[in-house]
């Protein structure tokens, strides 16, 4: 069963769906109808896990789909898109086989051939690109069916079919509905009344009507084997998928791959010659475009420390000041969220992932950024952005300079920015940067922290050494200490880092923190908890890892039926303080980047890496395959020459 609880979806300031509450049961064909812009496709994307809700929750079989979206989409959902999404170069059969392999679903060739024949596809070996529009849509239907998904989502599946084939497709979906959720978006009210067990009408993002029709449930037409569950079989299906795509890619791009391999081989040899002439790598730094390769850039961050993970420790104001004094960078950028985080940009009803570069708004970056191929202007305030060309193409159909996009952190918070330029330059890591002010990311982070601080806070045991897994701790909502709490044990906070816990939370705290004490739900009257257990609880060193690391301790237990804890105003103020978790510093002499990095790693608590070092690793990974190919080609050439010489020698001896 699929349940939508108070689901809403917005793009920027535009609400598309408003507080949708809906239950979809298996064994029904559910049609979602409505005019254009009613929110039909958006609702379908949310149910299919292709987009995230702005608020509310979606459950499948009593489990929130956000817990593992990838598994939910691959194992449970079959999609039938308006634009087919078939892979050119693959046959009808291989397009279907690829979907079943990726989902780990074994299938019978005989069953697939039967379904292909039933929907009027003459040749299962026919290439996808040679099919008509209607045939492509039918193959997309078959692909979803053969995947044996529990949820089949179809967005206008009969839009490219004539009436006869449309009835055939919808009839087939109706036959498959036993134990499955069949959800169809359609403009055709007549077809929905003819084949739908349930018709949901959307208007302006809300459910206007929900009508059920009595129909006889039928059995599915394809019987597949049990789903594979072991890791070994999952890997087998994954490798089979990679093989299908690899063979198809090689077949379609054989000549291009050879040309690219030769060009890259020449490029690698050229780079190797430069490196051999310049062992230290300094001369290489002089010969490259500093603005493009950023060989003067050093990234600073904290590795995992006790009670924190990688890049979770922020840089304090004092640390930043000391950095400026010691290393005198010509530019320093505070990084508030790492570049590898998931960044989503949205405009209207479109969403795209981006490669975000945080910068300062000054002359240094104006010169650097505008040395790229930029269409438009440099940003002049934190509410502006230079958007990557590929992201602009995904979000807009034409010129988008002057348009507004929302920057989303993937956790529900967003800020709006105006596009003032388009970046056409691919960076050394094969990506295109979108340039945004670091202070704008700080603003986004502040909204995120303010919205989550009071909802749920986790407090763990404080360790003096790095732990592999730390599961010992407690959690609850946060309230500010006011002094009117009814304290049953302990005292009010005497220090900014003292916290109190409620009686409801205390029930679980002793076991969670490894303290022996036998108490019941209603046993919190004075004197029930042993003095030794209380002493151990109040002396525990605890850690809060939220926007920085804070060592705290419990000072008292107060009466409350809520799972909560109280913090002092001083502690809450520190938790809300926004500090960077990394820094980018640009040094005056790029040739000294490597040595400066070594000095920082030797003398500081944090870690440094250079952009040139990252680039070398990237190039090494990208060219390893082509280096091997070059060696093989060279050996084949040598073998051919050797065989030719033997043949000439043998002919001469015969004469």
């Amino acid at each position: 069963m699929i349940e939508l609880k108070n689901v809403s979806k917005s793009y920027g300031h535009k609400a598309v769906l408003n507080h949708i509450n809906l239950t979809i049961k298996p064994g029904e064909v559910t049609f979602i109808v409505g005019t254009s812009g009613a929110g039909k496709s958006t609702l379908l994307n949310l149910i299919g896990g292709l987009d995230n809700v702005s608020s509310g929750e979606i459950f499948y079989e009593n489990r929130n789909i956000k817990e593992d979206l990838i598994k939910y989409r691959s194992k449970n959902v079959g999609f039938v898109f308006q634009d087919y999404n078939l892979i050119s170069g693959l046959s009808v059969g291989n397009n279907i086989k690829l979907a079943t392999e990726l989902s780990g679903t074994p299938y019978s060739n005989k069953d697939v051939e039967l379904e292909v024949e039933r929907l009027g596809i003459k040749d299962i070996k026919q290439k996808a690109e040679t099919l008509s529009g209607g045939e492509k849509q039918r193959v997309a239907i078959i692909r979803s069916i053969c995947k044996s998904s529990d949820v089949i989502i179809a967005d206008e599946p009969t839009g490219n079919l004539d009436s006869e084939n449309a009835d055939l497709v919808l009839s087939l979906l109706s036959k498959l509905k036993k134990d499955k959720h069949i959800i169809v978006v359609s403009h055709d009210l007549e077809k929905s009344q003819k084949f739908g067990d349930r018709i949901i009408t959307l208007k302006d993002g809300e459910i206007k009507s929900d009508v059920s029709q009595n129909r006889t449930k039928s059995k599915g037409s394809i019987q597949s084997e049990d789903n594979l569950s072991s890791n070994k079989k999952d890997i087998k299906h994954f490798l089979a998928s990679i093989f299908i795509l690899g063979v198809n890619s090689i077949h379609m791009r054989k000549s291009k791959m050879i040309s690219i391999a030769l060009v890259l081989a020449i490029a690698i040899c050229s780079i190797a010659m430069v490196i051999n002439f310049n062992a230290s790598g300094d001369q290489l730094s002089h010969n490259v475009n500093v603005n493009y390769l950023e060989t003067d850039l050093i990234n600073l961050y904290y590795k995992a420390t006790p009670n924190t993970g990688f890049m979770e420790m922020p840089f304090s104001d004092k640390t930043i000041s000391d950095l400026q004094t010691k290393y005198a960078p010509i530019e320093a950028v505070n990084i508030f969220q790492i570049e590898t985080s998931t960044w989503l940009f949205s405009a209207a009803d479109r969403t795209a992932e981006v490669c975000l570069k945080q910068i300062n708004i000054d002359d240094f970056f104006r010169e650097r950024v505008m040395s790229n191929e930029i269409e438009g202007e440099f940003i002049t305030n934190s509410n502006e952005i230079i958007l990557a060309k590929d992201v602009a193409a995904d979000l807009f159909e034409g010129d988008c300079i002057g348009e507004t996009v929302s920057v989303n952190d993937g956790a529900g918070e967003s800020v709006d920015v105006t596009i003032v330029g388009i970046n056409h330059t691919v960076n050394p890591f094969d990506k295109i940067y979108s340039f945004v002010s670091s202070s704008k990311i700080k603003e986004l982070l502040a909204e995120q922290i303010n919205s989550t601080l009071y909802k749920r806070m986790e407090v763990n045991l404080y360790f003096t050494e790095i732990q592999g897994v730390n599961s010992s701790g407690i959690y609850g909502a946060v309230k500010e200490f006011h002094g009117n709490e009814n304290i049953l044990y302990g005292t009010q906070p005497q220090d900014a880092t003292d916290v109190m816990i409620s009686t409801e939370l205390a029930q679980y705290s002793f076991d969670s923190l490894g303290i022996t004490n036998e108490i019941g739900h209603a046993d919190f009257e004075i004197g029930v908890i042993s003095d030794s257990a209380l002493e151990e609880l109040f002396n525990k060193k605890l850690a809060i890892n939220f926007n920085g690391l804070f060592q705290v301790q419990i000072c008292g237990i107060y009466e409350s039926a809520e799972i909560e804890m109280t913090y002092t105003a001083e502690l809450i103020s520190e938790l809300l303080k926004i500090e960077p978790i990394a820094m980018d510093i640009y040094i005056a002499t790029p040739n000294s980047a490597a040595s400066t990095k070594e000095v920082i790693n030797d003398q500081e608590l944090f870690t440094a890496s250079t952009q040139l070092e990252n680039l070398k690793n990237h190039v090494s990974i990208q060219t390893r395959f082509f280096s091997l190919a070059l060696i093989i080609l060279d050996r084949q050439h040598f073998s051919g020459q050797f065989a030719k010489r033997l043949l000439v020698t043998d002919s001469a001896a015969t004469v």
Side-chain angles (χ1 to χ4, degrees):
M1 184 168 63
I2 301 172
E3 297 179 84
L4 283 75
K5 295 185 178 180
N6 205 28
V7 169
S8 296
K9 180 63 181 178
S10 299
Y11 295 100
H13 298 297
K14 181 181 179 181
V16 180
L17 294 175
N18 298 307
H19 306 294
I20 299 294
N21 289 285
L22 183 63
T23 299
I24 300 176
K25 299 178 181 179
E28 294 182 343
V29 177
T30 301
F31 274 79
I32 300 175
V33 300
T35 59
S36 296
K40 304 186 299 301
S41 295
T42 299
L43 179 59
L44 212 61
N45 290 340
L46 294 178
I47 295 174
L50 296 177
D51 202 352
N52 294 321
V53 299
S54 298
S55 63
E57 296 174 300
I58 300 177
F59 295 87
Y60 173 70
E61 301 298 346
N62 298 319
R63 185 171 183 178
N64 196 318
I65 66 173
K66 291 178 68 174
E67 293 180 12
D68 195 340
L69 272 176
I70 295 176
K71 183 177 180 181
Y72 170 70
R73 286 193 298 257
S74 64
K75 301 290 185 182
N76 302 112
V77 183
F79 297 95
V80 180
F81 297 99
Q82 288 176 296
D83 54 357
Y84 323 124
N85 283 348
L86 301 180
I87 298 176
S88 298
L90 290 184
S91 65
V92 170
N94 278 338
N95 264 283
I96 297 169
K97 182 178 180 180
L98 181 62
T100 60
E101 293 288 2
L102 286 172
S103 63
T105 307
Y107 80 108
S108 164
N109 285 334
K110 183 177 179 182
D111 286 335
V112 173
E113 289 176 3
L114 176 62
E115 295 304 326
V116 169
E117 183 179 347
R118 286 173 118 190
L119 286 187
I121 307 299
K122 298 179 181 179
D123 185 4
I124 196 171
K125 296 181 180 180
Q126 187 175 353
K127 299 296 184 182
E129 62 269 24
T130 66
L131 298 172
S132 67
E135 289 173 328
K136 289 179 180 178
Q137 186 66 289
R138 281 175 273 170
V139 173
I141 295 283
I142 299 167
R143 179 177 59 187
S144 181
I145 293 169
C146 294
K147 185 181 170 185
S148 298
S149 306
D150 296 325
V151 181
I152 296 180
I153 289 178
D155 191 353
E156 294 286 356
T158 60
N160 294 322
L161 304 181
D162 56 34
S163 179
E164 182 180 351
N165 280 318
D167 285 353
L168 184 62
V169 168
L170 293 175
S171 176
L172 179 58
L173 287 173
S174 182
K175 290 178 182 178
L176 289 167
K177 68 185 180 182
K178 187 177 187 296
D179 299 326
K180 295 182 183 293
H181 307 75
I182 311 292
I183 307 170
V184 182
V185 159
S186 177
H187 286 89
D188 194 332
L189 186 59
E190 181 182 346
K191 297 293 185 190
S192 65
Q193 292 172 342
K194 181 177 181 181
F195 293 98
D197 298 292
R198 183 180 180 187
I199 302 173
I200 298 170
T201 303
L202 287 184
K203 183 177 181 181
D204 298 329
E206 296 179 352
I207 296 176
K208 292 303 179 183
S209 67
D210 187 347
V211 179
S212 296
Q213 303 184 118
N214 292 325
R215 296 188 183 280
T216 303
K217 297 183 179 180
S218 58
K219 298 180 180 180
S221 61
I222 293 182
Q223 302 296 325
S224 60
E225 303 171 15
D226 293 338
N227 286 340
L228 302 179
S229 59
S230 69
N231 289 334
K232 186 179 292 185
K233 290 182 179 179
D234 285 341
I235 293 173
K236 177 182 177 182
H237 286 295
F238 176 75
L239 292 177
S241 304
I242 294 298
F243 178 77
I244 293 172
L245 291 173
V247 170
N248 181 60
S249 181
I250 292 172
H251 177 73
M252 294 186 68
R253 302 172 177 86
K254 189 185 302 180
S255 59
K256 288 185 178 180
M257 288 183 66
I258 294 174
S259 300
I260 293 172
L262 291 174
V263 170
L264 285 177
I266 294 172
I268 293 167
C269 291
S270 301
I271 293 174
M273 290 175 63
V274 173
I275 294 175
N276 286 335
F277 286 121
N278 303 276
S280 65
D282 289 344
Q283 190 59 44
L284 176 63
S285 297
H286 281 297
N287 291 340
V288 296
N289 185 338
V290 174
N291 288 349
Y292 177 68
L293 297 180
E294 295 189 307
T295 52
D296 58 343
L297 172 60
I298 300 178
N299 310 113
L300 306 177
Y301 50 88
Y302 283 95
K303 288 189 174 180
T305 62
N307 308 285
T308 69
F310 177 70
M311 294 186 78
E312 289 183 347
M313 181 70 73
F315 284 70
S316 66
D317 291 341
K318 184 179 184 307
T319 301
I320 295 173
S321 177
D322 290 342
L323 274 170
Q324 296 279 4
T325 302
K326 283 184 180 180
Y327 305 107
I330 58 176
E331 188 75 3
V333 183
N334 294 332
I335 305 299
F336 294 97
Q337 289 193 357
I338 58 176
E339 291 182 7
T340 55
S341 298
T342 299
W343 298 93
L344 298 175
F345 275 29
S346 58
D349 59 347
R350 299 184 182 183
T351 302
E353 289 192 12
V354 299
C355 176
L356 204 60
K357 177 76 171 178
Q358 300 170 56
I359 63 172
N360 297 331
I361 303 174
D362 55 23
D363 290 338
F364 174 87
F365 277 105
R366 180 188 301 275
E367 178 184 352
R368 175 156 298 198
V369 171
M370 298 308 289
S371 69
N372 294 310
E373 186 182 354
I374 303 295
E375 173 188 357
E377 303 295 333
F378 183 70
I379 57 180
T380 58
N381 61 69
S382 63
N383 294 319
E384 296 177 346
I385 189 171
I386 295 176
L387 198 62
K389 176 186 176 182
D390 52 353
V391 178
D394 288 341
L395 298 180
F396 302 93
E397 295 179 355
D399 181 23
C400 61
I401 292 179
E403 298 288 345
T404 299
V405 296
S406 293
V407 184
N408 304 281
D409 63 355
E413 300 298 327
S414 65
V415 291
D416 291 339
V417 287
T418 301
I419 303 168
V420 296
I422 304 297
N423 181 21
H424 294 262
T425 302
V426 180
N427 69 19
F429 303 98
D430 301 322
K431 297 178 180 179
I432 305 178
Y433 278 140
S434 290
F435 297 100
V436 70
S437 167
S438 171
S439 60
K440 197 64 179 179
I441 302 304
K442 181 179 180 180
E443 178 185 333
L444 177 61
L445 183 60
E447 290 187 14
Q448 182 187 93
I449 290 173
N450 275 289
S451 68
T452 58
L453 172 63
Y454 298 99
K455 294 179 182 178
R456 185 183 187 276
M457 181 62 67
E458 192 167 350
V459 182
N460 300 104
L461 290 176
Y462 190 94
F463 292 102
T464 56
E465 296 179 354
I466 295 179
Q467 303 292 312
V469 177
N470 177 14
S471 59
S472 300
I474 58 176
Y475 67 88
V478 172
K479 300 180 86 174
E480 184 176 338
F481 172 72
H482 293 293
N484 58 355
E485 291 81 3
N486 182 20
I487 301 175
L488 301 183
Y489 297 95
T491 65
Q492 293 183 350
Q494 306 298 311
D495 188 86
T497 57
D498 286 345
V499 303
M500 297 197 306
I501 60 175
S502 67
T503 50
E504 189 71 18
L505 177 57
Q507 295 179 63
Y508 314 103
S509 300
F510 289 88
D511 287 340
S512 297
L513 298 176
I515 302 172
T516 303
N517 187 72
E518 296 182 1
I519 56 175
H521 184 79
D523 291 336
F524 277 86
E525 61 269 17
I526 300 297
V528 171
I529 305 176
S530 67
D531 290 339
S532 61
L534 284 172
E535 182 179 4
E536 187 175 357
L537 176 67
F538 295 154
N539 287 323
K540 284 282 186 185
K541 290 184 178 181
L542 303 175
I544 298 174
N545 184 8
F546 181 87
N547 195 28
L549 179 65
F550 303 87
Q551 182 179 334
V552 299
Q553 64 183 36
I554 298 171
C555 66
I557 301 174
Y558 65 97
E559 187 176 15
S560 174
E562 302 295 329
I563 299 178
E564 61 185 26
M565 55 188 84
T566 63
Y567 292 177
T568 64
E570 294 89 342
L571 179 56
I572 290 176
S573 177
E574 286 298 314
L575 291 170
L576 289 173
K577 186 177 180 181
I578 310 298
E579 295 176 317
I581 60 169
M583 290 191 68
D584 285 348
I585 63 172
Y586 297 81
I587 60 177
T589 53
N591 289 344
S592 64
S595 59
T596 303
K597 180 201 72 172
E598 296 301 329
V599 171
I600 293 174
N601 286 332
D602 287 340
Q603 298 181 3
E604 308 292 349
L605 295 176
F606 45 84
T607 300
S609 68
T610 62
Q611 192 77 345
L612 182 58
E613 176 185 13
N614 297 333
L615 177 58
K616 286 179 179 178
N617 292 335
H618 178 75
V619 172
S620 176
I621 293 171
Q622 294 293 321
T623 59
R624 191 172 299 155
F625 168 79
F626 297 106
S627 297
L628 180 60
L630 184 62
I631 292 171
I632 294 173
L633 287 171
D634 184 67
R635 288 183 177 177
Q636 289 178 340
H637 174 73
F638 175 80
S639 299
Q641 293 295 325
F642 183 72
K644 183 177 180 180
R645 290 180 182 178
L646 284 178
L647 182 60
V648 172
T649 303
D650 184 66
S651 299
T654 303
V655 173

